[in-house]
Amino acid sequence: MITKRLIACFDIIGDRVTKAVKFQDNIDVGPAEDLASVMYDEQIDELIFYDITASAEKRRINIEVVKKVAARIFIPFTVGGGIKNLEDMHEALKAGAEKISIDSMAVRNPAIIKEGALAFGSQCIVLSTQVKRTQKSAKIPSGYEVYIDGARLATGMDAIEWIKRGQDLGAGEICINSIDNDGTLSGYDIELMQMAGEAVSVPLIASGGAGKPEHLKELFSKTAAQAAIISSMLYSPRMERNYKVAEIKEYLMKENIHVRPIRV
């Protein structure tokens, strides 16, 4: 039985974690390194770090903040935002990342996926993609379109065709970010994740919509997702109350969903 993973995703502006709704209206949560310590102590399974303005601002990732966060945690750590080439990947890995997430730059230069996989191994390369519902067409048969630059720019690319291509190029994992569901606390886009699961065989991470433990049960029961980003549940100021990692895992275990147990 596959162990499902719970992931905290840091949307970083400067050196601080923020939370958005549908990739807009980011509100401050707190210093990245301090929140990383909290998440590690709560026994989150993994942490993802996105420098969310790096691509739009056409700059490199804030490597100093990556180093500060990496120093606080001892769990799988994925880093993305402003990754343009192998040198940037190498710098992020040297700073403490175990995996590299590429998103907007992969759309602009798909060869970077293959280059990264050849240089560091497919297990190190995560293709992240920002996806939004649209009208089905010959160009976008799935009804889901890829966006880049923090969901600011539509690409005209079909999301399902894009993740299939990403897998073929060597991505070892795919993170699908639902723009429509992001920060809404209304649940994951199950249809999107089902389509993705039928299209690719690499591990899938679902992002966007988690608001209560029942949403995770639905995701893991109805789709092939192996991991879920649950940031809003853990620390969004928009929640009436935030959940602890332990109570989420306790609920999932009672629902016969296999997760890594909390160490006592």
Side-chain angles (χ1 to χ4, degrees):
M1 184 181 293
I2 294 174
T3 300
K4 305 297 187 178
R5 295 170 285 138
L6 303 183
I7 301 175
C9 181
F10 287 6
D11 291 337
I12 302 290
I13 296 178
D15 62 354
R16 301 181 69 84
V17 178
T18 66
K19 279 303 301 171
V21 175
K22 299 186 178 181
F23 283 67
Q24 298 178 339
D25 301 323
N26 290 70
I27 56 177
D28 184 74
V29 176
E33 56 186 305
D34 294 344
L35 188 57
S37 292
V38 172
M39 291 295 98
Y40 178 69
D41 290 343
E42 285 198 23
Q43 299 183 44
I44 194 72
D45 295 320
E46 298 186 19
L47 195 150
I48 294 176
F49 175 115
Y50 290 143
D51 187 335
I52 61 172
T53 59
S55 291
E57 294 173 357
K58 294 180 171 54
R59 60 170 174 80
R60 287 184 167 183
I61 194 167
N62 190 333
I63 207 72
E64 292 306 313
V65 182
V66 172
K67 290 178 181 178
K68 289 178 180 179
V69 170
R72 299 288 189 98
I73 59 174
F74 301 93
I75 53 176
F77 181 36
T78 301
V79 169
I83 303 290
K84 297 181 176 63
N85 49 45
L86 291 181
E87 181 183 353
D88 291 341
M89 293 183 188
H90 187 251
E91 286 300 309
L93 293 169
K94 275 202 313 182
E98 292 185 58
K99 293 186 278 189
I100 300 297
S101 176
I102 45 178
D103 190 320
S104 300
M105 185 51 61
V107 171
R108 292 187 169 98
N109 176 26
I112 195 175
I113 302 172
K114 186 173 184 179
E115 291 168 4
L118 289 172
F120 306 110
S122 288
Q123 79 287 344
C124 188
I125 304 300
V126 180
L127 175 62
S128 178
T129 185
Q130 306 153 45
V131 176
K132 190 173 184 179
R133 283 182 182 267
T134 189
Q135 188 171 355
K136 291 183 180 180
S137 65
K139 194 174 183 181
I140 306 177
S142 72
Y144 288 95
E145 184 175 3
V146 174
Y147 278 64
I148 58 174
D149 294 346
R152 297 174 182 88
L153 182 62
T155 66
M157 294 168 55
D158 183 84
I160 300 304
E161 292 304 313
W162 172 233
I163 64 170
K164 287 164 64 176
R165 186 179 179 196
Q167 175 181 258
D168 291 344
L169 286 168
E173 192 167 23
I174 295 170
C175 180
I176 301 179
N177 305 277
S178 169
I179 298 169
D180 302 291
N181 292 38
D182 177 64
T184 63
L185 314 177
S186 60
Y188 296 94
D189 189 326
I190 300 300
E191 181 183 2
L192 171 61
M193 295 309 300
Q194 287 174 336
M195 292 172 68
E198 293 171 359
V200 299
S201 58
V202 297
L204 291 171
I205 303 170
S207 177
K212 56 185 179 180
E214 288 81 1
H215 293 152
L216 289 158
K217 177 187 175 183
E218 182 184 31
L219 174 74
F220 291 139
S221 300
K222 295 183 177 179
T223 81
Q226 293 188 15
I229 289 173
I230 58 170
S231 305
S232 291
M233 294 176 67
L234 300 175
Y235 48 76
S236 173
R238 294 185 173 96
M239 291 278 291
E240 288 187 12
R241 82 166 183 91
N242 294 121
Y243 290 86
K244 297 292 186 183
V245 173
E247 67 178 305
I248 299 171
K249 288 191 170 186
E250 182 180 359
Y251 167 83
L252 292 173
M253 286 189 285
K254 286 180 179 177
E255 296 296 328
N256 297 313
I257 294 169
H258 194 241
V259 293
R260 189 172 291 109
I262 295 291
R263 300 182 306 276
V264 178

